[in-house]
Amino acid sequence: ERYLVKKEYKPVAIVPITEYYINSGSNATFGGGKSRITFPVTLPPNTQEWYYEFSAARDRNAVEQAKSSFNLLSQLTTLIDQTGALGFGMDMLTKPPGGDVCDVYLLDYDNSRLFEAKTAYYHYPMGSRENIKSGIVKMAGNAGQTWYLGIKNPDSMHGIHVAIEVVAIRLDEEWSTRNVQKMNV
């Protein structure tokens, strides 16, 4: 028979700590640049949950400091090693500092294109945050699926720097076979 030898949760970096500059609405219109961006988040097989952490500020140095406090991957690794399970609360994760607000939207492929084109789009509220300076967002599995995170600068006058990191928690299982003797009466 087949039996489970080992079961282990493993955090995996999907999008390493990345910084983006997002122009203000008026600068994007008149001076070029973008007031919103999207990027793909492709979840690995056996993803049980995934998280993203972000911070926004007008000052680039503030975002650089915030990036130095990003440690989502190591925090999740430590929490899983301590408990061996996924049963920990979001309050156990340390949120990075932030200076100015941004909007982060969870989108599918079609809506990510509509979002970038500044036309009517649908976002998934459970993974979206509006008018927020920083945070950590937890999402359910959806292994093997590709989502898009859309980031928008709601300020019409000032650009912002945004740092973001995405980590998935994957379930690794090791299976084997063994001989079992069954009695036939």
Side-chain angles (χ1 to χ4, degrees):
E1 70 178 4
R2 281 181 46 90
Y3 72 100
L4 181 63
V5 176
K6 186 168 103 177
K7 176 179 169 180
E8 178 181 38
Y9 292 105
K10 187 173 192 170
V12 178
I14 299 175
V15 176
I17 301 169
T18 308
E19 183 183 334
Y20 298 98
Y21 179 75
I22 304 171
N23 234 331
S24 66
S26 62
N27 283 345
T29 302
F30 301 115
K34 295 181 177 185
S35 63
R36 49 181 80 194
I37 60 160
T38 62
F39 60 92
V41 175
T42 303
L43 302 176
N46 300 325
T47 297
Q48 301 300 299
E49 18 185 80
W50 61 283
Y51 298 76
Y52 69 88
E53 154 178 63
F54 65 95
S55 176
R58 288 183 194 153
D59 181 24
R60 187 166 200 270
N61 293 331
V63 169
E64 287 298 323
Q65 277 187 327
K67 278 174 39 179
S68 68
S69 71
F70 275 35
N71 58 0
L72 186 59
L73 182 63
S74 63
Q75 285 186 74
L76 290 172
T77 301
T78 302
L79 288 170
I80 289 171
D81 286 348
Q82 288 175 356
T83 64
L86 296 180
F88 51 84
M90 287 292 292
D91 58 336
M92 297 179 82
L93 299 172
T94 306
K95 182 175 97 169
D100 294 283
V101 298
C102 70
D103 299 334
V104 182
Y105 296 105
L106 180 64
L107 308 160
D108 58 23
Y109 175 78
D110 293 332
N111 284 295
S112 72
R113 300 297 150 237
L114 296 171
F115 175 79
E116 282 187 346
K118 299 182 181 179
T119 58
Y121 62 91
Y122 174 79
H123 66 277
Y124 295 88
M126 76 259 180
S128 301
R129 302 293 183 266
E130 293 180 322
N131 291 321
I132 191 163
K133 295 178 180 182
S134 67
I136 298 175
V137 179
K138 176 183 175 180
M139 298 297 304
N142 300 314
Q145 188 169 354
T146 298
W147 290 98
Y148 290 80
L149 287 176
I151 305 174
K152 176 180 153 187
N153 181 358
D155 193 322
S156 62
M157 299 304 290
H158 303 283
I160 57 170
H161 296 271
V162 177
I164 194 157
E165 176 185 21
V166 183
V167 176
I169 297 180
R170 189 179 70 208
L171 174 61
D172 291 341
E173 295 179 329
E174 183 181 327
W175 290 85
S176 186
T177 57
R178 61 182 169 200
N179 291 330
V180 178
Q181 191 174 29
K182 292 186 178 183
M183 303 302 280
N184 190 2
V185 179

